[in-house]
Amino acid sequence: MDREEAAKICFRRMEEEDLDQVAELEGRIFSMPWSRKAFQDSIALAHTLFVVAERDGRILGYCGCYQMLEEAEITNVAVAEDFRGQGIGRRMLEELMSLGQEQGAFAYTLEVRAGNEAAQRLYESLGFESLGIRKNFYEKPAEDAVIMWRPWKA
């Protein structure tokens, strides 16, 4: 994707109108996907924040978190297969954490598949550190999760 195409991508809060595309993308990417209703229920909560990357009406990716006081747990990060490796995941997470900070979240945690080294490198480049392993956290296929934490940065 060239600069002109990248400039056309809008990073914004997830809206009700996005849910069909988000649920479809979730189903293509994850072996145990969230339902459309799960996303609908989540974006309705005051302590959640979900962001989408959208271009010309197409959702290219999304990410979200649940906030607990000054900490937030990132629950979903997904980018459409044909748009990976183009910085969309990074930009979505930066937007998510920027909006989260406006709501008072300054530290973040997440779990990532132990075998997903590309995602782990992305998170590390954003200041996340590995804190340990959750054994057998994932199913279909069974896999450990790496617990990652981005501490509060004043």
Side-chain angles (χ1 to χ4, degrees):
M1 174 175 12
D2 62 22
R3 287 182 190 262
E4 186 176 318
E5 289 296 311
K8 293 179 183 177
I9 299 174
C10 174
F11 297 87
R12 58 173 174 74
R13 289 178 184 262
M14 186 182 293
E15 300 172 355
E16 184 91 19
E17 297 77 29
D18 302 323
L19 295 178
D20 288 337
Q21 288 188 65
V22 167
E24 192 273 329
L25 185 56
E26 172 90 356
R28 283 197 331 252
I29 293 175
F30 296 107
S31 61
M32 296 183 69
W34 282 25
S35 67
R36 183 189 190 284
K37 180 154 178 28
F39 281 105
Q40 183 176 27
D41 292 347
S42 292
I43 66 171
L45 299 171
H47 65 281
T48 63
L49 176 60
F50 281 78
V51 171
V52 296
E54 179 260 332
R55 185 180 76 192
D56 299 327
R58 179 181 174 197
I59 300 299
L60 308 178
Y62 57 89
C63 60
C65 66
Y66 287 90
Q67 184 177 341
M68 295 130 310
L69 301 174
E70 70 277 350
E71 296 179 10
E73 177 184 6
I74 296 174
T75 58
N76 307 69
V77 179
V79 176
E81 296 88 341
D82 52 332
F83 285 91
R84 291 183 185 161
Q86 299 178 36
I88 293 171
R90 167 181 292 283
R91 290 175 59 199
M92 282 191 315
L93 286 163
E94 289 171 341
E95 180 71 9
L96 181 78
M97 291 186 287
S98 176
L99 290 171
Q101 188 170 354
E102 291 175 13
Q103 294 181 182
F106 296 96
Y108 293 84
T109 186
L110 57 81
E111 287 94 6
V112 59
R113 283 187 178 272
N116 192 343
E117 294 175 9
Q120 290 174 46
R121 284 192 301 275
L122 169 62
Y123 302 139
E124 287 170 353
S125 75
L126 290 167
F128 284 81
E129 304 165 4
S130 175
L131 289 183
I133 300 291
R134 288 197 201 281
K135 292 301 230 177
N136 301 312
F137 184 77
Y138 292 103
E139 300 175 18
K140 296 183 182 180
E143 188 172 0
D144 296 341
V146 176
I147 304 163
M148 300 192 80
W149 171 257
R150 182 176 181 258
W152 185 321
K153 300 196 179 184

